[in-house]
Amino acid sequence: MSDGSARAQAIHAGDRRALAQALTLIERGGPAAKALRRSLVPRAQTRVIGITGAPGAGKSTLTTALALHIRTRGLTIGILAIDPSSPLSGGAILGDRIRMYDLAGDSGVFIRSMANRGRYGGIAGATADAIRALSAAGYDIIMLETVGAGQSDVAVADVADTVLLVESPGMGDEVQSIKAGLLEVADVIAVSKSDRQDANATLQQLRALVQMQHADSDAWTVPVCGVSAIANTGITALADAVLAHGEWLAMHPAGPRQRRRRIVALQRALEILLLESLSLSPVWQDALATLDQPNCDIEALAEQLLTNWRATPQPN
Amino acid sequence: MNDASAPIRVLVAKPGLDGHDRGAKVIARALRDAGMDVIYTGLGLTPHMIVEAALQEDVDVVGLSILSGAHMTLLPRVTQALDAAGLADCVVVAGGIIPVDDAEILKTTHGVDAVFGPGTTTDEIITFIRSAVAAVRAGRA
Ligand SMILES: Nc1nc2c(ncn2[C@@H]2O[C@H](COP(=O)(O)OP(=O)(O)O)[C@@H](O)[C@H]2O)c(=O)[nH]1
Ligand SMILES: [Mg+2]
């Protein structure tokens, strides 16, 4: 079943093993992944929820609680859990499943762990394709749990319909996600571990921040929900908020916020494609050859490379 | 990235609710440091849950740490369920406290590929996994 379209057919028919193998193919990238991508037909009604927030914020635990709740509404769920690769060995420990114990054995849930391979652009591309595969397999809701650190997390907004930001209480005066620029991409904010006493202060602080940010243009008001996965409180309200955002999006597909997002997503997709095709071109090899010369001017080299590339006949 | 050079994916589980998972964590870290992607599932998964996870994660290897003495029931149930799920290709390794005689039976009649006793070094485990997975992948190509 190496043929992209045969595999795609099996995925469309709900073959879980074919889906799992496809996700491996997608992670590895290359021509086979590209061929598969073209044969996969994602379903229009799929909703993608990106779950972001600092490591330890409670993303995996909350993802599980939300998924359990959403399952009671009769929807099926695909979960993509991304963890960092070790920069030294390239290997990774993908541990999100530990928290997802209660979902194990539910045939309406498909969980896949993915290492980010330390490549920002690469993982964004692979993530988008993995979401496409889960959608083609028929999962109604796709939950994407991000690494929770660095720039790549802002990119969750490129692939998610709804971005859920998880903030744990008592992180000091500064809310963690302001630094990371995550607050701007959040559609719904959850203050996790609300069984803890310091949760209320964080809740108030975030509500104030959100009011300042969204006072103008946007019609969607970002809800800030207190939740505890352990005490099982606030989960229903959070699920309502997340699903309500999906409905709001369906009614306002062309708002300025969505447009901004789509432009950035387009830019990033282009970046990946351009770099990929450039690196396959002979002008790239020429540039690599000059790279080690003493006093090599990188800027000038990049410009020269682009000029040479434009002059090369392009294959389609 | 082709099939032969792609990172090896390993599911590490500790079935049964008794005991701790210190040993499993040490192995998980060693495998990561050897460049593998380790899906760590923690304690208490049933054989059915382990096989379902192995299927979703499309792993090359299932590694089980068993300290409870239930290896003669748990391991055959895992390998049987793997076969039934079409995952007979999956390399199965077990670690923990497993008597030599039991280990022999598990390997000869229950499809367990290797049993690592308490004295085994992580290097031995890594070497075994690498060559077993290379053999499976070569057979597939
Ligand atoms: N008190 C409390 N602790 C929680 C709650 N949710 C998660 N935690 C703890 O927070 C830690 C990190 O949780 P995890 O879901 O792995 O966070 P992630 O790294 O963001 O995925 C774990 O020790 C959890 O037990 C909660 O609702 N209340
Ligand atoms: Mg997590």
Side-chain angles (χ1 to χ4, degrees):
Chain A
M1 219 174 34
S2 58
D3 171 33
S5 67
R7 202 187 287 280
Q9 253 173 30
I11 293 169
H12 294 144
D15 180 336
R16 290 155 75 83
R17 175 133 163 82
L19 171 62
Q21 289 172 326
L23 291 169
T24 306
L25 207 66
I26 285 166
E27 232 194 306
R28 291 178 187 175
K34 207 174 248 179
L36 175 66
R37 150 173 248 290
R38 283 200 211 97
S39 323
L40 287 171
V41 184
R43 303 195 323 165
Q45 67 268 39
T46 307
R47 287 269 162 262
V48 183
I49 305 169
I51 295 124
T52 188
K59 296 182 295 297
S60 299
T61 312
L62 187 56
T63 299
T64 308
L66 261 183
L68 283 169
H69 180 82
I70 292 173
R71 285 289 292 139
T72 66
R73 303 189 186 194
L75 299 167
T76 57
I77 297 170
I79 298 177
L80 276 179
I82 302 178
D83 276 314
S85 299
S86 151
L88 292 179
S89 73
I93 292 184
L94 312 167
D96 296 312
R97 269 185 182 268
I98 301 171
R99 312 259 180 248
M100 300 183 181
Y101 182 88
D102 291 339
L103 294 168
D106 179 350
S107 61
V109 179
F110 190 102
I111 305 171
R112 180 62 175 241
S113 317
M114 236 158 85
N116 76 347
R117 303 258 170 274
R119 309 176 264 136
Y120 159 63
I123 195 60
T127 307
D129 285 355
I131 288 169
R132 194 181 169 90
L134 285 166
S135 169
Y139 292 95
D140 299 311
I141 302 277
I142 295 165
M143 303 176 81
L144 168 68
E145 181 190 337
T146 67
V147 171
Q151 257 321 100
S152 69
D153 266 44
V154 180
V156 68
D158 298 359
V159 290
D161 299 305
T162 300
V163 176
L164 169 61
L165 171 65
V166 184
E167 190 77 35
S168 56
M171 300 299 265
D173 292 340
E174 278 286 295
V175 170
Q176 284 279 306
S177 39
I178 299 175
K179 274 193 300 244
L182 286 175
L183 212 56
E184 289 99 89
V185 299
D187 298 304
V188 179
I189 298 175
V191 173
S192 62
K193 313 180 190 183
S194 287
D195 47 283
R196 278 171 37 177
Q197 290 205 337
D198 44 354
N200 208 35
T202 307
L203 203 65
Q204 300 311 328
Q205 195 183 4
L206 278 166
R207 282 192 177 136
L209 276 170
V210 162
Q211 263 177 356
M212 272 166 33
Q213 261 206 334
H214 296 282
D216 46 17
S217 61
D218 273 341
W220 172 257
T221 319
V222 176
V224 183
C225 311
V227 295
S228 166
I230 286 176
N232 200 24
T233 54
I235 304 296
T236 306
L238 180 63
D240 285 341
V242 166
L243 296 176
H245 179 259
E247 281 157 28
W248 181 87
L249 265 187
M251 286 187 296
H252 304 83
R257 196 170 154 85
Q258 289 86 281
R259 186 169 163 75
R260 228 163 26 234
R261 242 181 224 191
R262 277 198 286 266
I263 290 173
V264 176
L266 178 65
Q267 284 171 337
R268 269 196 256 260
L270 262 177
E271 224 171 84
I272 294 165
L273 278 181
L274 281 176
L275 282 176
E276 199 178 85
S277 51
L278 222 154
S279 68
L280 293 174
S281 136
V283 299
W284 172 249
Q285 290 306 325
D286 296 346
L288 285 187
T290 13
L291 203 58
D292 294 329
Q293 282 171 10
N295 308 325
C296 169
D297 180 345
I298 300 280
E299 297 270 317
L301 184 59
E303 257 174 56
Q304 187 58 50
L305 206 159
L306 201 61
T307 311
N308 293 347
W309 195 41
R310 283 209 190 98
T312 353
Q314 299 294 319
N316 17 328
Chain B
M1 204 183 296
N2 62 31
D3 197 46
S5 68
I8 295 173
R9 289 175 70 81
V10 188
L11 184 95
V12 173
K14 189 190 169 305
L17 286 162
D18 55 294
H20 57 78
D21 60 349
R22 229 174 296 138
K25 278 182 177 154
V26 170
I27 300 294
R29 248 174 267 135
L31 297 181
R32 175 203 57 196
D33 293 342
M36 302 181 196
D37 281 354
V38 182
I39 294 100
Y40 188 68
T41 62
L43 298 163
L45 263 59
T46 65
H48 168 73
M49 289 170 170
I50 289 168
V51 171
E52 185 57 30
L55 184 140
Q56 293 173 7
E57 299 288 356
D58 191 28
V59 290
D60 303 286
V61 182
V62 171
L64 301 167
S65 157
I66 301 183
L67 302 167
S68 59
H71 49 271
M72 292 310 274
T73 49
L74 282 174
L75 284 170
R77 279 170 65 197
V78 170
T79 50
Q80 264 165 33
L82 280 171
D83 289 354
L87 303 175
D89 259 9
C90 216
V91 174
V92 178
V93 301
I97 303 158
I98 299 176
V100 182
D101 291 349
D102 287 354
E104 210 43 46
I105 297 170
L106 288 169
K107 286 195 280 190
T108 50
T109 61
H110 293 296
V112 174
D113 295 282
V115 175
F116 300 115
T120 319
T121 66
T122 52
D123 278 349
E124 285 171 74
I125 298 173
I126 291 162
T127 305
F128 177 85
I129 288 178
R130 280 199 179 129
S131 74
V133 171
V136 171
R137 287 182 177 181
R140 226 189 273 143

